């Protein structure tokens, strides 16, 4: 759920920053949320219990997509390259790059163009064409495997949680960690739910953000920045569902960690935006999201224990703390 920036409320920090030694490794990992994306990719590529079931589920569709995508690329590459070169070199075009790029009349050779004064190892039109055709190739494969990828992502999430020795009872009800939680506007959340429907997501990502992603070099990063928050929220939907969080609780939870979600989502969106191989990262990002959710839940357990009235015997504290540190 997307949230409106906090509305002029006093900045409040989590009360339970000091944690026992047993939880410090998890709390240290939470300070670098983007690292979960890297670890998720590493686990997918090295853990047979993760990549074999995922590949088995997607391989037939991936093969059909590769064949169709390759055929489309062979037929359309030269045509698209000519069109793109004409668009980029036309001074009246809104996509013209003449103000930062020097085009020559014989810019068919790789070293005939410069970008911001630097000689390019390839022509600008070739670069943009490769990105565009790569995006089309990815869309063709995605058409054949999208349903199976969703299933594979859910399976790797479940497998990642199970590999930590956790079951459905590990996810506890939401606990507010701040004494003064931020104020969120739920109307933005309702609007966001409309725009996260598959149709609008396709329009935004394939129509609005695609031209931005084709902008030389920096466009990919800018497009990833725009998609950062929505990508992170989408990847944590299973976490919110497992905790049966209300829309308001989701909004507050994300607002309290908005920069963590942006960091995680930026790296995840950047990898998912890579042509063809980005489809693999849509699965590995689910693993990283599950590992991040696991550490977030351990902190939730700890805070829940700290908020309970202390009993003289200390039994409640001990049992709750043991659950938090596992």
């Amino acid at each position: 759920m997307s949230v409106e920036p906090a509305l002029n409320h006093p900045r409040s920090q989590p009360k339970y920053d000091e944690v026992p030694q047993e939880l410090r490794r998890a709390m240290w990992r939470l300070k670098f949320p983007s690292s979960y994306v890297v670890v998720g990719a590493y686990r997918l590529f090295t853990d047979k219990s993760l990549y074999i079931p995922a590949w088995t589920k997607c391989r037939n569709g991936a093969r059909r997509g590769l064949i169709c995508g390759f055929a489309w690329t062979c037929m359309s590459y030269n045509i698209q390259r000519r069109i793109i070169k004409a668009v980029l070199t036309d001074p009246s075009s809104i996509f013209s790059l003449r103000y930062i790029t020097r085009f020559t009349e014989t810019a068919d050779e790789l070293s005939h163009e410069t970008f911001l004064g630097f000689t390019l190892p390839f022509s600008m039109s070739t670069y943009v064409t490769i990105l565009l055709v790569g995006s089309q190739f990815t869309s063709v494969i995605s058409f054949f495997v999208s349903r199976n990828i969703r299933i594979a992502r859910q399976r790797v999430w479940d497998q990642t949680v199970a590999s930590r020795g956790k079951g459905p009872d590990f996810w506890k009800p939401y606990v507010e960690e701040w004494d003064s939680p931020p104020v969120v506007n739920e109307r933005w959340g309702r609007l966001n739910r409309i725009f996260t429907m598959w149709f609008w997501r396709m329009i935004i990502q394939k129509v609005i953000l695609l031209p931005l992603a084709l902008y030389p070099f920096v466009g990919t990063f800018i497009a990833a920045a725009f998609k950062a928050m929505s990508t992170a929220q989408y990847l944590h939907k299973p976490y919110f569902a497992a905790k049966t969080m209300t829309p308001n609780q989701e909004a507050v939870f994300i607002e309290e960690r908005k920069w963590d979600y942006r960091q995680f989502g930026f790296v995840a969106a950047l990898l998912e935006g890579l042509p063809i191989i980005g489809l693999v990262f849509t699965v590995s990002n689910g693993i990283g999201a599950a590992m991040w959710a696991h550490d977030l839940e351990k902190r939730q357990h700890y805070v829940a224990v700290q908020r309970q009235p202390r009993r003289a015997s200390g039994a409640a504290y001990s049992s709750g703390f043991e659950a938090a540190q596992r």
Side-chain angles (χ1 to χ4, degrees):
M1 166 183 289
S2 178
V3 298
E4 184 184 61
L7 303 176
N8 298 325
H9 62 276
R11 184 66 175 171
S12 174
Q13 296 294 337
K15 185 178 180 180
Y16 305 103
D17 283 331
E18 293 297 328
V19 298
Q21 183 67 32
E22 292 80 0
L23 289 179
R24 287 183 180 175
R25 288 184 62 186
M27 299 305 106
W28 184 85
R29 291 192 297 267
L30 289 174
K31 294 181 180 179
F32 304 96
S34 57
S35 64
Y36 291 99
V37 178
V38 180
V39 176
Y42 173 79
R43 286 205 59 187
L44 179 64
F45 294 139
T46 58
D47 191 338
K48 291 184 178 180
S49 66
L50 293 173
Y51 72 75
I52 290 180
W55 171 244
T56 301
K57 186 65 180 175
C58 300
R59 62 184 176 187
N60 291 330
R63 289 169 181 169
R64 290 192 293 268
L66 285 170
I67 294 173
C68 295
F70 180 76
W72 169 255
T73 300
C74 292
M75 291 187 298
S76 65
Y77 176 83
N78 288 330
I79 298 174
Q80 294 191 65
R81 187 175 181 275
R82 292 192 184 97
I83 295 174
I84 288 173
K85 184 176 180 180
V87 170
L88 293 180
T89 55
D90 184 0
S92 62
S93 172
I94 61 173
F95 299 104
S96 176
L97 299 176
R98 282 187 176 275
Y99 61 99
I100 55 174
T101 305
R102 181 177 62 83
F103 292 96
T104 67
E105 296 299 329
T106 60
D108 294 326
E109 297 295 332
L110 299 184
S111 60
H112 283 182
E113 296 174 1
T114 60
F115 183 81
L116 296 176
F118 296 95
T119 301
L120 297 174
F122 44 78
S123 66
M124 187 63 62
S125 56
T126 300
Y127 170 84
V128 176
T129 305
I130 291 174
L131 287 183
L132 181 59
V133 173
S135 176
Q136 295 167 359
F137 202 140
T138 304
S139 298
V140 172
I141 300 175
S142 181
F143 174 79
F144 288 96
V145 301
S146 58
R147 179 177 178 274
N148 288 338
I149 279 184
R150 286 195 298 270
I151 297 173
R153 187 188 293 119
Q154 183 59 51
R155 288 179 178 176
V156 297
W157 174 284
D158 296 337
Q159 179 62 30
T160 302
V161 174
S163 69
R164 300 296 184 93
K166 302 298 186 291
D169 58 338
F170 173 68
W171 311 105
K172 303 299 182 183
Y174 171 73
V175 178
E176 177 53 56
E177 299 181 13
W178 290 20
D179 288 334
S180 300
V183 178
V184 297
N185 190 333
E186 293 191 28
R187 289 179 299 177
W188 285 88
R190 290 192 293 269
L191 182 62
N192 180 71
R193 284 195 293 273
I194 295 175
F195 282 99
T196 52
M197 295 173 62
W198 71 269
F199 175 77
W200 290 109
R201 288 184 64 194
M202 181 183 68
I203 293 296
I204 293 173
Q205 294 184 12
K206 302 300 182 182
V207 178
I208 298 178
L209 292 181
L210 179 59
L212 182 62
L214 296 178
Y215 197 86
F217 308 110
V218 297
T220 302
F221 293 90
I222 297 175
F226 273 105
K227 295 187 288 187
M229 182 63 79
S230 61
T231 300
Q233 291 173 266
Y234 177 76
L235 290 170
H236 258 185
K237 284 177 66 176
Y239 177 49
F240 301 143
K243 290 179 69 68
T244 62
M245 295 171 65
T246 66
N248 180 263
Q249 289 173 340
E250 291 181 27
V252 172
F253 186 86
I254 292 172
E255 175 65 23
E256 292 173 348
R257 299 160 182 81
K258 59 185 177 182
W259 291 110
D260 291 343
Y261 272 87
R262 285 170 180 162
Q263 290 178 43
F264 177 87
F266 174 77
V267 179
L270 189 64
L271 294 179
E272 290 185 9
L274 296 176
I276 304 175
I277 196 175
L279 293 173
V280 178
F281 289 115
T282 62
V283 179
S284 68
N285 286 340
I287 301 173
M291 299 176 70
W292 186 22
H294 178 269
D295 286 344
L296 287 170
E297 186 64 9
K298 290 171 70 174
R299 180 178 173 83
Q300 283 270 292
H301 290 184
Y302 174 70
V303 174
V305 170
Q306 295 299 300
R307 287 188 177 275
Q308 291 177 357
R310 296 290 183 86
R311 297 181 181 178
S313 62
Y317 175 79
S318 299
S319 60
F321 177 71
E322 289 171 0
Q325 64 176 321
R326 285 198 296 268

